[in-house]
Amino acid sequence: VNFETNWQGCYKANLWSRVASRIVKPLLDFPAYEPNDLYFNIKKHDFTKYIPPNGTLEVVSQVRDCMIRDQRFVALKVKDAIVDQFRDQFGIRPDVDTDNPDMKIIINGHKNNFSVALDTSGDGLHRRGYRVQGALAPIKENLAAGLLSLSGWKPGQKLYDPFCGSGTFLIEAALWQNNTAPGLLRKKFGFQRLSNYKPELWDELVEEALSLEGKSEEIGIFGTDSQSQVIQIAKQNARSAGVDHLINFARKEVSLIEPPAPTGLIVTNPPYGERLGNVDMLKDLYRDLGFALKARFKGWEAYILAGSGDLTPELKMKAQKKFVVFNGPIECRFLNYPISVLR
Ligand SMILES: C[S@@+](CC[C@H](N)C(=O)[O-])C[C@H]1O[C@@H](n2cnc3c(N)ncnc32)[C@H](O)[C@@H]1O
């Protein structure tokens, strides 16, 4: 997604986006067929304004269908062109630091077209800072928020996740309901390492975000999971996100689930083959889920994130809408079942 803004707008996007993986500032776009094309095009932009000459940098690259095939070589050539700018101007050059650089440059090559961007996020924005401990196979926080959005869930609507694991869907929903900026808990962002960083502009945004946080105490978000230690982790995560008062967690086997309210939305990702469990056990589990939904959840609507080796036919329910989504490299489907219309 592209948008135009100033630097404070860039800080704000980092603070408030629930779905972005990172926010980058596009710097250059050019065709390149051989290494020197990379080198000379990079020289067209002044990189010395972003960090001091004794700072650190990292260049990451991704290349697909290009004549210059080796992406490590692309990163190396771009890095050389950038550090030469510093050396020519100051006599010294930044060091490479791949763990914790001051400036991270992202280069993408596709069909001989290269785009170069300055990262402003640092760690991926899914790292909100509330996850105390990961349970088995937690979903990324920004993916959970994106799926909630795709499901049409709106703050205030009852929400239930019967395979809640570490509680990611529910915590993201509660943060949203509370109008909490998802970046408020994070200690650091990439833009804070750049030479033009203005802490007072950032402080203003944080103040504003704190003043906008909701005061609701009503519990409308519910999670259950069969494993008690997983529920403990979910509770800890919700507490560290500051939204434990908005979510009710309980241990429950999926075959025994009951609706926590007369109507509402279920958003969940049951275990799936790639990461958890074996197929026969999983088939039983999907049958149990389908049975419970049809028997007891009339008036509800469910959105189920199903991984590869799709087991949703075992639900014996007909999906009304299907979206293809990616959970990291895993192609998944996000399936919608309005339970009221089922026989
Ligand atoms: C893919 S994980 C869900 C991850 C979760 N969305 C998160 O972000 O942490 C599936 C969860 O289903 C739970 N589970 C497995 N079998 C279950 C069952 N029979 N009844 C209820 N929960 C079950 C597991 O304990 C696990 O936490």
Side-chain angles (χ1 to χ4, degrees), residues 137-139 163-166 168 225-227 252-254 269 271 285:
I139 188 172
F163 298 98
C164 73
S166 60
T168 318
D225 195 286
S226 58
Q227 292 194 45
K252 196 163 275 185
E253 181 59 38
V254 70
N269 70 315
L285 184 132

Side-chain angles (χ1 to χ4, degrees), residues 149-186:
S149 176
L150 198 55
S151 78
W153 179 81
K154 290 278 178 301
Q157 187 180 9
K158 300 283 186 281
L159 182 72
Y160 176 38
D161 180 353
F163 298 98
C164 73
S166 60
T168 318
F169 279 121
L170 307 174
I171 294 168
E172 287 298 318
L175 287 170
W176 187 355
Q177 177 153 317
N178 206 41
N179 202 27
T180 300
L184 262 187
L185 287 170
R186 268 171 68 116

